[in-house]
Structure formats: structure tokens, C-alpha cells
Amino acid sequence: MDTALTFFSYSRADSAFVLKLAKDLREAGVTIWLDQLDIVPGSHWDSAIEKALVSAPRMIVVLSPESVKSNNVMDEVSFALENGKTIIPILLSECETSFRLRRLQRIDFTTDYQQGMDHLLEVLGHER
């Protein structure tokens, strides 16, 4: 079972889906980092995000029309790419992605959450 930290990059507009996915992954034993769950109140959020980005060897990026327009999401993706981290794109809803993300195989969550979750757990080295 893989215990590497997985960083979540997403748009706040997709928070409901992201929180559900993060909680389901944690229940399955995946070690994830999500700003809404892991930044301690009173902490500087930008420092906490940077520290998590540096320490996580992989990233889940949730793709939606809102996230691909987000400068914060694209900055996080750029950082991950420049530092050789594994990026796992999750397609939440159809959107036009940047060139740097088009080449990466996605996990489709657009039609069947459970099927997407099973595929993601397999990729992350976890069994249901």
C-alpha cells in the first residue's frame, strides 16, 4: 500500500466534489493533503500550501471549467511539472485544458463516480 502524500489542486467552485473525494480517499487509506482539511486555523495559508506542494511527490488536479481558469491551480500544476512530480488529472466536467495537461491520461469522473474512484484507487496503489 502506497503511503506517499497526495496534494489536491482544484477550484473552490468544485469544493463539494473535492471534499467528498478527499474524505473517500482518506477512508480508503490514501494519505492526502487538502487545504480545507489540513490548514490549521491561524496558519498562513500560502506557506502551508507551498510546504505541502514541496513535500508531496504527486498531485491530483481536478479539471473543470473553473479550475482551468484559476491562476492558483495553474501555478500549482506548473510547480509540480517543473519539480518532476506525478500529476493525476481528474476530469470532473468537460473543459479545455492547457497544453501541458492534455498529454496526461485522465481519470473520468463525469459519468460514474464509483468507477472513477475505483480507477483512482488503483492508480494510487490502494484496493477497495
Side-chain angles (χ1 to χ4, degrees), residues 34-101:
L34 179 67
D35 59 351
Q36 292 184 67
L37 301 176
D38 296 308
I39 296 178
V40 178
S43 299
H44 293 277
W45 63 267
D46 53 344
S47 297
I49 289 172
E50 185 175 358
K51 182 178 177 185
L53 263 173
V54 168
S55 64
R58 65 184 171 211
M59 168 190 286
I60 289 173
V61 59
V62 178
L63 299 175
S64 70
E66 293 78 18
S67 70
V68 298
K69 292 177 189 167
S70 166
N71 287 332
N72 288 339
V73 171
M74 289 302 109
D75 287 347
E76 292 164 357
V77 167
S78 291
F79 179 87
L81 287 169
E82 290 166 7
N83 288 279
K85 297 178 184 284
T86 300
I87 298 176
I88 304 165
I90 291 186
L91 186 61
L92 174 58
S93 54
E94 292 299 326
C95 57
E96 192 68 34
T97 59
S98 67
F99 179 71
R100 57 191 150 180
L101 286 174

